[in-house]
C-alpha cells in the first residue's frame, strides 16, 4: 500500500501518519510505504506533486 498523506503539499509528514497506516497495513495484511515529499513554502507547487508522481512511477 502506498499512502500519500493529505495536506495539499503544505503540511503533514510520513511520521505523523505512521500509526494510522500501520493499523491499515496490519488489518489488510499488506506492506505499506509512506514517503516524505517536499512541502510548501520551502518547495512550492508542483515540487511535492512531482515527487509523488515519481514515487508512484518508481513503484
Amino acid at each position: 500500500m502506498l499512502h500519500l498523506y493529505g495536506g495539499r503539499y503544505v503540511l503533514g509528514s510520513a511520521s505523523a501518519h505512521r500509526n494510522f497506516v500501520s493499523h491499515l497495513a496490519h488489518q489488510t495484511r499488506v506492506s505499506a510505504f509512506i514517503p516524505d515529499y517536499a512541502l510548501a513554502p520551502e518547495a512550492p507547487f508542483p515540487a511535492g506533486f512531482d515527487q509523488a508522481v515519481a514515487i508512484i512511477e518508481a513503484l
Side-chain angles (χ1 to χ4, degrees):
M1 168 180 25
L2 172 63
H3 181 78
L4 298 173
Y5 51 88
R8 299 175 303 231
Y9 304 102
V10 176
L11 51 99
S13 70
S15 61
H17 290 86
R18 187 180 313 148
N19 190 40
F20 170 69
V21 174
S22 69
H23 285 290
L24 287 176
H26 177 74
Q27 292 296 318
T28 57
R29 297 182 179 153
V30 299
S31 297
F33 179 64
I34 315 167
D36 262 326
Y37 39 83
L39 301 177
E42 292 82 17
F45 185 83
F49 176 78
D50 291 341
Q51 288 177 359
V53 170
I55 290 164
I56 292 167
E57 290 173 347
L59 290 175

